[in-house]
Amino acid sequence: MAIASPSAPSFCCTTRSGSTQRRFLHPISRRAGASFPSRVLTRPAIVSRLNPSSDGEVVYELNYNSHRRRRGAFPVYVTLPSDAVGPTAQTMRRKRAMAQSFRALAAAGVEGVVMEVWWGMVEREFPRSYNWRGYLEIVEMARRFGLRVRAVMAFHQCGSGPGDPLWIPLPLWVLEEMDRDPDVSFADRFGRRNMEYISLGCDILPILHGRSPIQAYADLMRNFRETFRSFLGGVITGVQVGLGPGGELRYPSCPTQKLTWAWRSRELGEFQCYDKYMLASLNARAREIGVREWGNGGPIGTSSLMQNPESTEFFKADGSWKTPYGEFFLEWYSGMLLLHGERICREAETIFRGSEINMSGKVAGIHWHYGTQSHPSELTSGYYNTAVRDGFMPIIRMFGRYGFSLCCACFEMQDAEERQVNPSSRPESFLKQLLLAARICDVPLEGENFSTNLDDESFQQVLRMSKLYSDGLETPSFSFNFVRMDKNLFEPRNWASFTRFVRQISSVNMFQANLDIGGGNTSSSSPSAAASFAGAVVAY
């Protein structure tokens, strides 16, 4: 994408009203019983100068002594393309287009960008051999344009396979271990393997050249901390820790790419408990309670992926999910997922303690059977959430113990629209349950959109849901991650809707441009000042 930049011999940008953001991270775990005042992170003022070595390019610098954001203003971040960095993480792709995009985002009042840090790129060839060069370039560019960065530690696969243009597998040396021992990957009752993420049944086993998966994740986060230390708390203000497929705390009950398909709303999913490590854990648990026959595998009677839940023995309203066996299995299955999240969150909190960044974890928006009694697609994903049991409160409490904020999607979706396609789908109700739990547990919230093409009504729904979470709270901590930056975002109609949304959710006149042309001084605070940066999209 190429965006026409304004031509002016001198350019200065300042924030008219500043930014305040409640700190999401407690420096010491709440569980430790320590109490510390929250540090208020403020959006830096954007100060620019001409770079004499770049043909008059406008260079932006950060000034962290800016005014604070007005109360009720929520920052907006934009997720970068998945392929923002090359396959070896050696360099940033499309640098000129990326620079123009950053300039436009800064002008629109966007707080920052979300940068996915792919394990399969950074530690690609050999264990403990890390390459951060391309990501350093992104962070440096964000600093130049006055944007903050949220880094996502992506320990999962991206894309569906080598033919996918966005294909990013797990590190090559990890894939070698999976070839050597297929049980390192998840398996369903049919023996089908899913290699998006390492099976959490071997979380603490030394299967990766003498390290456990949890140790490998921690080592990468520790190396990230050391490499980007000078940016932490300033440019880099957030780290989202990957907890499973798609970065979400869940099982790969179905391939991630399926979740974006039109017919996903009928997907029941499959229980992922048939690799030898998961089966060993299930068998041990069954022995503990003295019912060994319950430890031989997952439930029977779940039928096919696309079947109506009411036609299955396990998922129907009065099905075996309500029986002692069903409760035993679902408690173990969801408990293994919660334990996995606990292990990673504990490591991350220790590693980044004192670095003045906001930690977060993501829960998947599995909503297409929320209107049923058993919520089958949630159960197979690892969320023991039904019409009679709250399965998300334990997860959000766990986030709260480690000072994590909750990230969740579906903010633009409405029940009425989804029911026209699938009568059992309830994305809005699903999200409300998460928002209520976050409010009760005093856990900060990061919202995301599920679909990529949002119109004005979709943005208005985001505003409504953000108000639902924040209304009545004295110091609500909410922010929104727009997923994601591509050429469609900068199309005139879409860009107009997006910038209007940023102004509405930010509740401030965030951008003021002072142009000094020919010795004159012209001030502009109109929203069109930001739009002028978007220019014309040529290619991306």
Side-chain angles (χ1 to χ4, degrees):
M1 176 189 63
I3 303 178
S5 60
S7 58
S10 175
F11 195 90
C12 178
C13 306
T14 61
T15 53
R16 170 173 294 180
S17 62
S19 56
T20 294
Q21 180 180 348
R22 173 187 171 191
R23 185 176 172 225
F24 289 3
L25 173 66
H26 296 274
I28 302 293
S29 171
R30 291 178 185 172
R31 190 173 61 173
S35 177
F36 290 85
S38 296
R39 175 177 178 265
V40 178
L41 297 177
T42 60
R43 174 176 172 81
I46 307 172
V47 179
S48 64
R49 58 178 173 80
L50 290 179
N51 185 355
S53 63
S54 61
D55 298 325
E57 178 188 8
V58 176
V59 179
Y60 294 75
E61 297 176 343
L62 298 184
N63 180 353
Y64 288 95
N65 295 322
S66 62
H67 299 297
R68 295 180 177 181
R69 181 185 298 275
R70 282 168 45 185
R71 181 176 176 180
F74 301 134
V76 175
Y77 288 74
V78 174
T79 304
L80 299 179
S82 299
D83 62 346
V85 170
T88 61
Q90 188 67 20
T91 184
M92 184 199 325
R93 288 181 167 176
R94 304 181 294 272
K95 294 181 182 180
R96 183 175 178 82
M98 195 73 79
Q100 301 288 15
S101 300
F102 277 32
R103 178 180 289 116
L105 294 177
V110 168
E111 185 84 359
V113 295
V114 178
M115 174 182 74
E116 292 162 319
V117 178
W118 296 100
W119 184 28
M121 290 183 178
V122 174
E123 200 178 356
R124 175 184 169 90
E125 300 288 345
F126 306 101
R128 295 188 178 91
S129 178
Y130 307 101
N131 184 357
W132 301 101
R133 184 171 177 178
Y135 294 107
L136 282 165
E137 290 180 352
I138 290 178
V139 174
E140 285 282 4
M141 182 174 287
R143 180 191 62 80
R144 286 170 49 204
F145 288 101
L147 294 172
R148 289 175 166 177
V149 174
R150 280 179 174 165
V152 177
M153 301 289 105
F155 300 117
H156 59 281
Q157 164 190 302
C158 178
S160 57
D164 192 325
L166 298 179
W167 170 242
I168 304 173
L170 297 181
L172 300 181
W173 57 274
V174 174
L175 295 180
E176 291 174 0
E177 293 300 318
M178 286 182 162
D179 289 339
R180 195 173 293 116
D181 181 6
D183 284 292
V184 171
S185 55
F186 286 103
D188 63 16
R189 62 196 169 110
F190 300 109
R192 295 174 297 198
R193 297 285 174 180
N194 186 298
M195 301 175 68
E196 293 182 59
Y197 193 76
I198 297 175
S199 170
L200 54 83
C202 48
D203 265 357
I204 58 175
L205 302 179
I207 60 170
L208 300 178
H209 292 252
R211 291 186 297 168
S212 70
I214 297 296
Q215 289 173 327
Y217 304 151
D219 285 346
L220 184 136
M221 289 189 288
R222 196 172 291 110
N223 196 267
F224 173 86
R225 180 198 63 192
E226 296 306 313
T227 303
F228 292 87
R229 182 178 292 277
S230 63
F231 298 102
L232 297 181
V235 180
I236 300 177
T237 57
V239 171
Q240 183 182 122
V241 181
L243 300 171
E248 301 160 334
L249 182 62
R250 63 174 174 87
Y251 290 95
S253 52
C254 63
T256 295
Q257 69 272 12
K258 274 190 175 185
L259 302 184
T260 62
W261 294 359
W263 52 272
R264 76 190 187 296
S265 56
R266 296 174 55 198
E267 189 79 67
L268 297 179
E270 288 284 351
F271 289 109
Q272 303 292 310
C273 60
Y274 289 87
D275 64 81
K276 67 181 181 182
Y277 301 107
M278 290 291 287
L279 283 175
S281 173
L282 176 61
N283 185 263
R285 179 61 183 144
R287 287 171 177 267
E288 285 179 7
I289 65 170
V291 190
R292 294 188 178 186
E293 59 269 26
W294 285 358
N296 297 325
I300 61 174
T302 55
S303 297
S304 66
L305 285 172
M306 301 298 294
Q307 193 162 351
N308 185 331
E310 292 304 314
S311 301
T312 71
E313 289 300 316
F314 188 79
F315 294 125
K316 65 183 180 180
D318 59 345
S320 52
W321 62 276
K322 285 185 172 182
T323 65
Y325 164 73
E327 292 173 355
F328 157 80
F329 175 82
L330 293 172
E331 285 177 359
W332 167 81
Y333 190 68
S334 61
M336 287 287 287
L337 184 68
L338 188 64
L339 178 60
H340 173 71
E342 182 107 16
R343 286 165 171 162
I344 299 182
C345 289
R346 182 189 303 121
E347 293 287 345
E349 192 276 332
T350 301
I351 291 167
F352 292 104
R353 183 183 300 169
S355 59
E356 304 296 347
I357 60 172
N358 307 320
M359 304 294 297
S360 64
K362 189 174 182 182
V363 169
I366 310 294
H367 56 78
W368 31 98
H369 291 107
Y370 193 85
T372 67
Q373 289 290 304
S374 65
H375 298 207
S377 50
E378 293 163 62
L379 297 183
T380 56
S381 297
Y383 305 140
Y384 190 2
N385 189 63
T386 68
V388 295
R389 188 181 190 277
D390 188 339
F392 292 109
M393 187 64 77
I395 295 174
I396 295 174
R397 283 176 179 158
M398 182 266 293
F399 283 167
R401 284 197 300 273
Y402 294 100
F404 273 51
S405 58
L406 166 69
C407 180
C408 50
C410 303
F411 266 72
E412 84 286 7
M413 303 182 76
Q414 300 183 45
D415 287 351
E417 291 185 359
E418 285 296 307
R419 278 201 297 264
Q420 296 178 12
V421 179
N422 173 19
S424 298
S425 181
R426 302 286 192 279
E428 201 172 347
S429 301
F430 170 90
L431 184 57
K432 286 177 180 178
Q433 180 181 351
L434 290 178
L435 301 191
L436 177 60
R439 283 180 61 112
I440 291 173
C441 297
D442 192 26
V443 170
L445 189 67
E446 296 177 10
E448 284 190 0
N449 49 300
F450 188 88
S451 57
T452 56
N453 296 321
L454 303 189
D455 54 18
D456 286 331
E457 176 55 32
S458 298
F459 283 124
Q460 288 302 310
Q461 179 67 9
V462 173
L463 292 170
R464 286 190 288 268
M465 298 307 289
S466 66
K467 181 175 176 59
L468 180 65
Y469 167 79
S470 61
D471 196 28
L473 295 180
E474 183 177 354
T475 56
S477 291
F478 177 80
S479 60
F480 186 74
N481 301 331
F482 176 81
V483 183
R484 70 183 57 237
M485 188 176 84
D486 58 15
K487 64 181 180 181
N488 293 324
L489 172 62
F490 296 97
E491 292 291 338
R493 181 185 297 273
N494 296 335
W495 181 250
S497 295
F498 175 73
T499 54
R500 185 161 47 246
F501 163 73
V502 172
R503 291 195 304 274
Q504 289 175 326
I505 200 168
S506 298
S507 303
V508 292
N509 296 320
M510 295 183 63
F511 190 81
Q512 179 178 353
N514 294 320
L515 296 178
D516 185 6
I517 303 177
N521 185 18
T522 303
S523 176
S524 172
S525 60
S526 166
S528 62
S532 67
F533 276 92
V537 178
V538 178
Y540 193 87

